[in-house]
Amino acid sequence: MNFPFKTSITFRAGQLRFVTILFLSNLESKIAALLLEMQENTADFVKLGELQAEIDLFNDEKDEIEMTLLEAIEELENL
């Protein structure tokens, strides 16, 4: 004798497993996308740091050139 209630519970359990698997795979893809975005942001921060270091270097060189020019102007004025 088949009990419809037992079949219904089994069917519902199967549905629940299926929905859970779908939810977990969707969650997994969202986590993967977030991790990829974090990696890209980290790469952007590294690039930003490298660019800032170059800017600082150029500013230092600019300051040295300005000092050299000021010294040269001062020497010319003393002639």
Side-chain angles (χ1 to χ4, degrees), residues 37-56:
E37 186 177 342
M38 286 173 58
Q39 287 175 342
E40 290 170 353
N41 288 341
T42 300
D44 288 343
F45 284 127
V46 168
K47 288 178 190 173
L48 183 60
E50 291 171 354
L51 289 173
Q52 187 60 51
E54 285 185 38
I55 289 170
D56 292 343

Side-chain angles (χ1 to χ4, degrees), residues 2-42:
N2 257 345
F3 294 106
F5 183 71
K6 182 180 180 185
T7 303
S8 178
I9 289 175
T10 304
F11 179 73
R12 292 286 182 203
Q15 282 182 326
L16 183 59
R17 268 190 233 112
F18 180 72
V19 169
T20 302
I21 289 169
L22 285 178
F23 173 77
L24 291 176
S25 63
N26 185 31
L27 185 61
E28 182 181 5
S29 66
K30 286 181 180 180
I31 290 171
L34 286 172
L35 288 173
L36 181 60
E37 186 177 342
M38 286 173 58
Q39 287 175 342
E40 290 170 353
N41 288 341
T42 300

